[in-house]
């Protein structure tokens, strides 16, 4: 495991900058056998005391003299600030930044803080199950050949049944490269969506003992789809573009496997009815307060 760390004086040199320039070193250069080129630079709020990057490069955590740990994305956009005690002098994180570690030398304490990131996921045009105006959106990234994706279907149905007026499910394709027929199945389901039969196609695909081209075509026939339109839509660049956008949206949201569920942009860590319902209730409480 490699976590990028710099001492406070080095960070001040590399990260802090004047209002006139966001770069603390020349944009590029060479000295003997060392060459450099600035990749990113942004202005921080407060003096940096310590910093650490997530292993995937998505987030930078900076401890400042304002008793805050500021969290930036890889574009330099501030995601939020976590207040800390004045004695905190060192920080570290787990590989993906889901845990923040704090060392308070004044109190001689160590703290581990759970961190999660609320993400914006575009669901425009995605198949939706549940009331369109539901205040809570479950967004599912899934793969039609993934056995764990098959197993989560009854759980999601149970959540929808328990929250018939307040929760909707948005479907996003995330076909994994290891699954040969996941991408054709995704194209087929979206082609079925063009004829108003997405969820029927979805259920049939997950009921298959094995996904293959013949089975996919049989589903379309059984659902009495217009086969010429179905095959044309399956091969269309528009359907392919939708799948690629789903994949890109998943990658931007930090999806690393399937199934992955977000509730109003909040990542879920446990796949249980109780854990999902707890987040749903918290989101509904927020809506009531606003």
């Amino acid at each position: 495991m490699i976590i990028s760390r710099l001492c406070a004086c080095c960070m001040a040199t590399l990260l802090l900058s004047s209002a006139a320039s966001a770069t603390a070193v020349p944009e590029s250069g060479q000295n003997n056998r060392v060459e450099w080129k600035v990749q990113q630079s942004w202005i921080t709020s407060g003096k940096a005391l310590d910093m650490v990057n997530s292993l995937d490069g998505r987030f930078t955590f900076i401890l400042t003299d304002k008793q805050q740990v500021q969290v930036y994305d890889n574009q330099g956009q501030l995601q939020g600030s976590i207040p800390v005690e004045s004695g905190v002098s060192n920080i570290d994180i787990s590989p993906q930044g889901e845990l923040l570690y704090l060392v308070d030398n004044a109190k001689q304490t160590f703290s581990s803080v759970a961190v999660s990131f609320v993400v914006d996921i575009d669901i425009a045009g995605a198949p939706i199950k549940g009331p369109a105006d539901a205040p809570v959106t479950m967004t599912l990234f899934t793969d039609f050949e993934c056995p764990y994706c098959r197993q989560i279907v009854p759980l999601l149905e149970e959540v929808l049944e328990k929250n018939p007026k307040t929760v909707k499910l948005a479907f996003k394709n995330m076909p994994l490269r290891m699954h040969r027929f996941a991408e054709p199945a995704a194209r087929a389901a979206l082609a079925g969506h063009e004829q108003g039969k997405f969820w029927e196609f979805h259920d049939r695909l997950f009921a298959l003992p094995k996904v293959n081209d013949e089975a996919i075509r049989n589903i379309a026939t059984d659902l009495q789809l217009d086969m010429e339109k179905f095959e044309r839509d399956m091969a269309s660049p528009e359907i392919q573009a939708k799948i690629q956008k789903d994949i890109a949206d998943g990658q931007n949201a930090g999806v690393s496997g399937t199934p992955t569920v977000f509730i109003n942009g909040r990542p879920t860590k446990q796949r249980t009815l109780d854990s999902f319902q707890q987040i749903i209730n918290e989101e509904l409480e927020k809506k009531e307060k606003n």
Side-chain angles (χ1 to χ4, degrees), residues 93-114:
I93 58 173
S94 54
Q96 306 303 321
E98 66 272 25
L99 289 174
L100 169 66
Y101 307 119
L102 307 172
V103 174
D104 188 330
N105 284 320
K107 293 184 177 180
Q108 297 184 348
T109 61
F110 167 85
S111 301
S112 175
V113 181

Side-chain angles (χ1 to χ4, degrees), residues 259-278:
T260 296
V261 178
F262 295 85
I263 298 178
N264 277 4
R266 295 172 59 183
T268 59
K269 294 184 168 113
Q270 296 180 337
R271 300 172 192 161
T272 66
L273 180 61
D274 288 343
S275 63
F276 284 2
Q277 192 63 49
Q278 179 179 345

Side-chain angles (χ1 to χ4, degrees), residues 5 9 34 83 87 140 150 178 190 193 205 210 254 281:
R5 297 187 59 83
C9 61
V34 176
L140 169 69
R150 176 183 300 176
M178 69 182 74
L190 290 181
H193 186 43
L205 282 169
K210 187 175 181 179
N281 292 342

Side-chain angles (χ1 to χ4, degrees), residues 5-20:
R5 297 187 59 83
L6 295 173
C7 66
C9 61
C10 293
M11 285 185 301
T13 302
L14 292 176
L15 292 176
L16 295 180
S17 58
S18 67

Side-chain angles (χ1 to χ4, degrees), residues 28-125:
S28 61
Q30 180 176 354
N31 186 287
N32 294 330
R33 296 185 179 182
V34 176
E35 293 183 350
W36 72 87
K37 183 176 182 180
V38 174
Q39 300 297 308
Q40 290 180 319
S41 186
W42 62 81
I43 297 174
T44 62
S45 176
K47 181 180 179 181
L49 304 177
D50 196 9
M51 63 91 57
V52 62
N53 289 333
S54 61
L55 188 62
D56 56 11
R58 294 183 65 226
F59 298 104
T60 298
F61 292 68
I62 299 178
L63 172 66
T64 75
D65 62 348
K66 294 185 176 181
Q67 295 179 236
Q68 293 180 339
V69 174
Q70 297 177 347
V71 186
Y72 294 85
D73 67 13
N74 56 15
Q75 301 301 313
Q77 297 296 315
L78 182 64
Q79 302 299 295
S81 300
I82 302 171
V84 298
E85 295 289 337
S86 59
V88 173
S89 58
N90 301 91
I91 63 173
D92 205 340
I93 58 173
S94 54
Q96 306 303 321
E98 66 272 25
L99 289 174
L100 169 66
Y101 307 119
L102 307 172
V103 174
D104 188 330
N105 284 320
K107 293 184 177 180
Q108 297 184 348
T109 61
F110 167 85
S111 301
S112 175
V113 181
V115 179
S116 61
F117 299 91
V118 180
V119 296
D120 293 323
I121 303 173
D122 183 10
I123 62 169

Side-chain angles (χ1 to χ4, degrees), residues 79-290:
Q79 302 299 295
S81 300
I82 302 171
V84 298
E85 295 289 337
S86 59
V88 173
S89 58
N90 301 91
I91 63 173
D92 205 340
I93 58 173
S94 54
Q96 306 303 321
E98 66 272 25
L99 289 174
L100 169 66
Y101 307 119
L102 307 172
V103 174
D104 188 330
N105 284 320
K107 293 184 177 180
Q108 297 184 348
T109 61
F110 167 85
S111 301
S112 175
V113 181
V115 179
S116 61
F117 299 91
V118 180
V119 296
D120 293 323
I121 303 173
D122 183 10
I123 62 169
I128 300 291
K129 180 178 283 191
D133 60 349
V136 177
T137 301
M138 288 193 303
T139 305
L140 169 69
F141 287 88
T142 192
D143 172 309
F144 282 113
E145 270 196 282
C146 168
Y148 302 105
C149 295
R150 176 183 300 176
Q151 293 172 13
I152 202 174
V153 171
L155 172 59
L156 297 177
E157 291 290 348
E158 192 172 0
V159 173
L160 291 175
E161 289 175 6
K162 189 173 181 179
N163 304 272
K165 296 181 179 179
T166 55
V167 177
K168 64 176 177 282
L169 174 65
F171 184 97
K172 302 282 275 184
N173 282 290
M174 197 75 175
L176 304 178
R177 292 183 180 179
M178 69 182 74
H179 294 148
R180 176 183 173 187
F181 293 102
E183 195 267 345
R187 286 191 285 111
L190 290 181
H193 186 43
E194 294 296 312
Q195 300 187 46
K197 294 290 183 72
F198 174 83
W199 292 107
E200 293 89 340
F201 217 112
H202 166 282
D203 294 344
R204 297 284 189 95
L205 282 169
F206 276 127
L208 291 174
K210 187 175 181 179
V211 182
N212 55 46
D213 290 333
E214 182 181 1
I216 290 172
R217 185 177 176 82
N218 287 341
I219 292 173
T221 302
D222 290 344
L223 292 176
Q224 299 182 337
L225 299 183
D226 179 333
M227 293 304 293
E228 288 188 10
K229 176 174 171 52
F230 172 76
E231 292 178 358
R232 187 168 60 250
D233 288 337
M234 262 197 78
S236 73
E238 291 80 10
I239 292 289
Q240 188 62 48
K242 286 182 180 180
I243 295 172
Q244 291 306 312
K245 184 179 183 303
D246 282 355
I247 294 172
D249 288 345
Q251 292 171 341
N252 291 335
V255 176
S256 58
T258 56
T260 296
V261 178
F262 295 85
I263 298 178
N264 277 4
R266 295 172 59 183
T268 59
K269 294 184 168 113
Q270 296 180 337
R271 300 172 192 161
T272 66
L273 180 61
D274 288 343
S275 63
F276 284 2
Q277 192 63 49
Q278 179 179 345
I279 299 175
I280 290 168
N281 292 342
E282 290 171 358
E283 291 300 304
L284 291 175
E285 289 177 8
K286 289 180 187 178
K287 297 289 184 182
E288 291 177 1
K289 290 179 181 178
N290 294 335

